Amino acid sequence: MISNSIKISVIILLVLILPIKSHGQDTDKQETVKKTLLTIFELCEQNKCDQLAPYIVYRGKDSKRKWKDTCNSKNKEELERVQNICHRIQEFQKYDDYEFSEFITQEESEGKWYVWKLTFNTKETPKIFYFAFLNINGSYAIGDIDG
């Protein structure tokens, strides 16, 4: 039989350790999504749309793939979507600089969204954009840009 004091000690230990582990996992995801977004920015800057496709969530007509797969650069319609996103991101890159302001996670019907809020510093007023990612087959892919 395990004594009550040992049971209480184990419970206290779990209460103290679990939040730390959870916070560490969130920090890891935050950094991974940030690195993915920086890779996307680099690919857009170099206009490498074919290499950008695996970083973009598929949102086409195929319901089996929608929100569950990434774009295929060999498919004309999917490549056009990738090119549109690339051009949109290139517009952001014209601003002087930006900062990663906030990391948000949110459950939606498509799955768990990992969102970076970026503040782009312009000569006028700062512009805020949200880059939303889904985990697709173990990698993060951008599914939406709001701003």
Side-chain angles (χ1 to χ4, degrees), residues 44 56 81-90 142 145:
C44 289
I56 308 299
R81 171 166 163 68
V82 172
Q83 289 169 334
N84 289 337
I85 289 172
C86 184
H87 292 131
R88 186 165 183 209
I89 290 172
Q90 287 170 342
I142 198 161
I145 302 171

Side-chain angles (χ1 to χ4, degrees), residues 31-41 55 133 140-141:
E31 285 304 310
T32 303
V33 174
K34 183 178 186 177
K35 287 178 186 176
T36 302
L37 184 54
L38 291 172
T39 299
I40 290 169
F41 282 0
Y55 294 98
F133 291 79
Y140 294 96

Side-chain angles (χ1 to χ4, degrees), residues 14-31:
L14 288 174
V15 167
L16 293 174
I17 290 176
L18 287 177
I20 293 170
K21 184 176 180 186
S22 175
H23 177 70
Q25 290 171 344
D26 286 347
T27 302
D28 291 346
K29 288 177 184 173
Q30 178 177 328
E31 285 304 310

Side-chain angles (χ1 to χ4, degrees), residues 43-59:
L43 290 171
C44 289
E45 188 174 336
Q46 297 170 4
N47 207 31
K48 295 183 177 178
C49 292
D50 57 329
Q51 294 178 33
L52 183 63
Y55 294 98
I56 308 299
V57 173
Y58 174 82
R59 292 173 55 176

